[in-house]
Amino acid sequence: MEQGYKKYRPFQPIGFSQRTWPDQVIRRAPIWCSVDLRDGNQALVTPMNLHRKVVFFKTLVAIGFKEIEVGFPAASETEFETIRYLIEENLIPDDVTVQVLVQARRHLIERTFEAIRGAKNVILHFYNSTSTLQRKVVFGTDMEGVIEIAVEAAALIREMGEQLRAEFPEMRLRYEYSPESFSGTEVENAVNICDRVLETLGATPEDKAIINLPNTVELATPNCYADQVEYVATHLQHRDCAVLSIHPHNDRGTATAAAELGIMAGAERVEGTIFGNGERTGNCDLMNLAMNLYAQGVDPTLDFTNMNHIKRVYEECTRMHVHERHPYVGELVFTAFSGSHQDAINKGVTYMAENGSKYWEVPYLPIDPADLGRQYEPIIRINSQSGKGGAAFVMHRHFGYILPKQMHAEFGAVVQAVCDREGRELKAEEVFRIFQREYLHVHKPFDLRRYRLFEENEKLDRVVVYFDGVLSRDGQDIQLSGRGNGPINAFFNALGSVGITGYKFVSYSEHAVSTGADSQAVSYIELSRGDDTVFGVGLDHNISLSSIKGILCAINRFERHAAQPKE
Ligand code: KIV
Ligand code: ZN
């Protein structure tokens, strides 16, 4: 749309000149609260069933989360069942608090209280939306109306909580309130509603309530959110009765930065998900945040040393895929493709070994992959999981062979079959040996013994190419000759003259390749027979002979495939 951007209003920063967050340094980890099983789960195409939720819950516990939002029990039977199952099967360790979410509505709150009966440590998290936009377009109410909803809910929760505590004196029940869509709310209004809720809940410095400030939709640059967080942190009347929490989302792709600035601005607690799953573009990625701390020498209090396993559980439970470039966890984040990077990394590792460095000093690797149970991979990995382009990449990068795009899948499958058979990754040299065996050293059933190519001018402006040669088939010599408008065409016609037919020429490409001291021509020939297509490769100092070898290679490969027993 022409000038479509004009329909958007710029975010108005709050103009908070007393801010101190830009000078802060994060020296310790915040309190972490995973919302994978709630915010993350509600954003899945197929939400997790009970079994997957339990597996995920156990993994979060193993990582070290002490606060885990396990669901929205009033929202569905599965959600209700999950919390009941965790409680009744005694799956919640004593040092772990389960959190449940509920809207500020009476019947939902009542149902939520039923769900948490008998649990040891619970955070009851309630919310209502407070933003200017939602007040206008969703609720058609003013701020007073929104405060009333929150305060009424807080009063009911306090009353029901007191009854429950009386019934279960061992229970540690805490409360959390979120002015949902906080970052779209006037800061004065946000402070006011949070203070009113803290008062109504009866929060004290000894029995604090959590005030959670969601960046429900990330509306602006992270510094704007940090200003808003610091404003609340410094203007809450009952600040000493609150644990200040943040809940960034990732609509602008800057949730990690917003969380870091939010902590610098005074947040003591962060809600998010591992790997950033969550509504729309996701929640703040707590693994990313924790590992950023780790890489600054701060104990993150979460343990990702078994990263590959955590990733596997995450992918199985959520049916989501972790991107190859995802910080710390992506398949490719410890792989160096560039030769100069590989060189610098090797030098860093050698330097550390020789100097007994106490600190990690390796260029291009911000952290030691071994800390995450991973390895530095100096080349693209070739294993049975490799993509079809991986083998072609190695051929190009290490040996200078530029396989045509259409050939990537074919050669990838050949390499993959070897990986599967061997059950291990392959080195670049091994990939090259497979290439030689598969394409360059194929002399059966047909082998070219002798040949002669020559040109004649049939007319002044028309050149005809002649091929004469001897081909051996399983040791028996066959004389053949043909003519055409070029060497390939002449050879094809010569093959036809001795009954080697049925092949169609599909594509051809060639380039020079350095083979040690000199350079040769490499030709890639794609032939079809019926519905099948196959590549052949020829290598020779003479470019015409390299194409002829390529044709013969493709035919030999067709014959070989035909001779193989069908599965
Ligand atoms: O993003 C959000 O605002 C939420 C609240 C319910 C905390 O998920
Ligand atoms: Zn959220």
Side-chain angles (χ1 to χ4, degrees):
M1 192 205 309
E2 218 179 301
Q3 299 197 324
Y5 60 88
K6 288 196 169 164
K7 74 170 182 255
Y8 302 103
R9 273 191 291 255
F11 184 84
Q12 291 304 311
I14 63 169
F16 182 48
S17 57
Q18 295 100 302
R19 67 175 74 82
T20 64
W21 62 260
D23 295 325
Q24 304 303 315
V25 175
I26 308 173
R27 297 197 195 282
R28 66 191 171 101
I31 300 166
W32 304 108
C33 174
S34 154
V35 296
D36 285 272
L37 300 176
R38 197 278 299 171
D39 220 330
N41 187 51
Q42 77 191 47
L44 295 177
V45 177
T46 313
M48 286 180 255
N49 59 19
L50 175 65
H51 170 72
R52 287 194 276 148
K53 271 196 152 191
V54 171
V55 170
F56 207 131
F57 176 80
K58 288 182 178 169
T59 305
L60 293 170
V61 170
I63 292 169
F65 283 99
K66 300 296 175 206
E67 297 185 2
I68 302 172
E69 192 163 77
V70 293
F72 197 142
S76 76
E77 268 315 302
T78 314
E79 295 284 287
F80 190 88
E81 236 181 73
T82 305
I83 172 90
R84 289 310 314 155
Y85 186 84
L86 293 175
I87 297 168
E88 284 161 21
E89 296 298 315
N90 227 354
L91 293 174
I92 310 165
D94 285 352
D95 62 346
V96 171
T97 299
V98 285
Q99 178 166 311
V100 285
L101 181 73
V102 63
Q103 253 175 26
R105 294 169 68 183
R106 174 175 279 276
H107 69 289
L108 301 179
I109 292 169
E110 286 168 353
R111 178 83 173 139
T112 305
F113 267 95
E114 270 176 52
I116 59 173
R117 291 173 68 79
K120 262 203 189 90
N121 298 303
V122 178
I123 296 171
L124 193 140
H125 176 189
F126 68 109
Y127 73 95
N128 66 324
S129 194
T130 57
S131 71
T132 331
L133 182 64
Q134 295 238 23
R135 292 195 320 254
K136 184 170 88 175
V137 308
V138 182
F139 304 111
T141 179
D142 57 9
M143 194 62 205
E144 269 317 303
V146 167
I147 293 177
E148 208 174 290
I149 295 170
V151 167
E152 260 179 32
L156 175 65
I157 285 168
R158 183 177 181 179
E159 184 192 322
M160 293 192 72
E162 274 164 15
Q163 285 166 15
L164 197 66
R165 280 169 172 154
E167 209 178 324
F168 296 94
E170 299 288 287
M171 183 177 194
R172 179 150 188 256
L173 176 61
R174 289 182 288 150
Y175 306 127
E176 170 171 338
Y177 171 66
S178 291
E180 201 242 37
S181 57
F182 156 78
S183 48
T185 307
E186 306 82 344
V187 270
E188 304 79 7
N189 281 336
V191 167
N192 188 17
I193 197 167
C194 290
D195 266 329
R196 298 286 303 279
V197 165
L198 286 170
E199 284 158 20
T200 312
L201 287 173
T204 63
E206 293 71 43
D207 188 13
K208 298 181 197 229
I210 298 163
I211 290 294
N212 186 46
L213 305 177
N215 207 358
T216 303
V217 176
E218 189 175 51
L219 298 173
T221 46
N223 60 307
C224 295
Y225 183 56
D227 276 357
Q228 292 171 311
V229 172
E230 188 165 346
Y231 183 94
V232 173
T234 51
H235 286 74
L236 269 182
Q237 213 183 323
H238 303 295
R239 175 70 186 90
D240 59 342
C241 304
V243 173
L244 202 63
S245 175
I246 51 176
H247 178 110
H249 275 271
N250 195 38
D251 297 80
R252 296 168 54 88
T254 52
T256 303
E260 289 177 329
L261 301 196
I263 296 168
M264 288 156 65
E268 303 154 270
R269 178 181 188 271
V270 184
E271 291 190 349
T273 56
I274 58 168
F275 312 143
N277 179 39
E279 286 284 17
R280 307 179 307 281
T281 49
N283 285 75
C284 171
D285 178 346
L286 297 188
M287 178 283 297
N288 196 167
L289 209 53
M291 290 314 302
N292 284 356
L293 290 177
Y294 184 94
Q296 295 294 312
V298 175
D299 176 3
T301 73
L302 295 179
D303 182 357
F304 287 97
T305 44
N306 210 350
M307 189 67 101
N308 286 342
H309 169 73
I310 296 168
K311 177 184 167 206
R312 227 174 3 257
V313 171
Y314 167 85
E315 292 191 329
E316 279 168 19
C317 289
T318 61
R319 314 227 160 127
M320 301 278 289
H321 168 72
V322 174
H323 194 273
E324 287 74 3
R325 303 273 177 219
H326 197 121
Y328 303 109
V329 58
E331 176 81 21
L332 294 177
V333 298
F334 298 120
T335 301
F337 287 81
S338 137
S340 65
H341 290 203
Q342 291 172 13
D343 186 48
I345 289 168
N346 288 337
K347 285 186 173 137
V349 171
T350 309
Y351 174 88
M352 282 185 64
E354 285 174 0
N355 292 277
S357 303
K358 183 172 161 210
Y359 295 108
W360 181 249
E361 294 183 290
V362 179
Y364 298 111
L365 285 183
I367 78 162
D368 183 352
D371 291 355
L372 301 168
R374 303 197 52 189
Q375 280 177 327
Y376 157 58
E377 284 139 10
I379 51 158
I380 187 164
R381 294 171 47 199
I382 295 295
N383 63 17
S384 58
Q385 308 302 315
S386 304
K388 60 184 179 199
F393 174 88
V394 167
M395 288 303 296
H396 183 188
R397 162 77 49 167
H398 292 263
F399 307 106
Y401 285 75
I402 309 167
L403 274 50
K405 191 111 189 87
Q406 313 89 286
M407 189 179 164
H408 289 193
E410 180 187 293
F411 183 50
V414 172
V415 172
Q416 199 138 321
V418 177
C419 283
D420 286 339
R421 210 167 46 239
E422 302 269 320
R424 63 178 176 85
E425 291 183 19
L426 300 178
K427 297 197 180 76
E429 285 68 24
E430 293 176 294
V431 173
F432 188 59
R433 277 201 294 278
I434 295 171
F435 182 80
Q436 287 179 311
R437 198 169 58 230
E438 187 69 28
Y439 296 103
L440 299 181
H441 301 161
V442 187
H443 304 294
K444 278 188 175 159
F446 298 108
D447 194 15
L448 187 64
R449 295 279 190 211
R450 290 186 298 278
Y451 84 102
R452 195 164 69 100
L453 273 174
F454 57 96
E455 293 179 1
E456 270 182 9
N457 275 56
E458 215 174 52
K459 289 186 191 150
L460 263 185
D461 58 348
R462 188 159 160 222
V463 175
V464 177
V465 177
Y466 291 85
F467 176 93
D468 274 339
V470 176
L471 207 58
S472 91
R473 175 173 198 150
D474 299 329
Q476 283 227 310
D477 284 355
I478 311 166
Q479 196 88 33
L480 69 167
S481 54
R483 50 175 272 170
N485 55 13
I488 294 178
N489 190 230
F491 182 56
F492 240 92
N493 290 336
L495 290 171
S497 73
V498 292
I500 304 171
T501 55
Y503 301 101
K504 280 211 183 84
F505 188 81
V506 180
S507 72
Y508 165 79
S509 63
E510 59 86 13
H511 62 83
V513 64
S514 162
T515 48
D518 59 2
S519 107
Q520 300 194 46
V522 57
S523 302
Y524 308 93
I525 309 276
E526 187 182 14
L527 298 186
S528 72
R529 190 171 70 181
D531 290 334
D532 293 338
T533 60
V534 152
F535 273 90
V537 181
L539 180 70
D540 203 273
H541 289 101
N542 177 313
I543 188 164
S544 299
L545 187 52
S546 94
S547 338
I548 287 168
K549 283 181 173 178
I551 294 170
L552 219 43
C553 167
I555 292 174
N556 279 335
R557 293 188 69 242
F558 259 123
E559 294 293 324
R560 192 156 80 189
H561 293 179
Q564 272 164 6
K566 295 263 176 293
E567 301 218 331

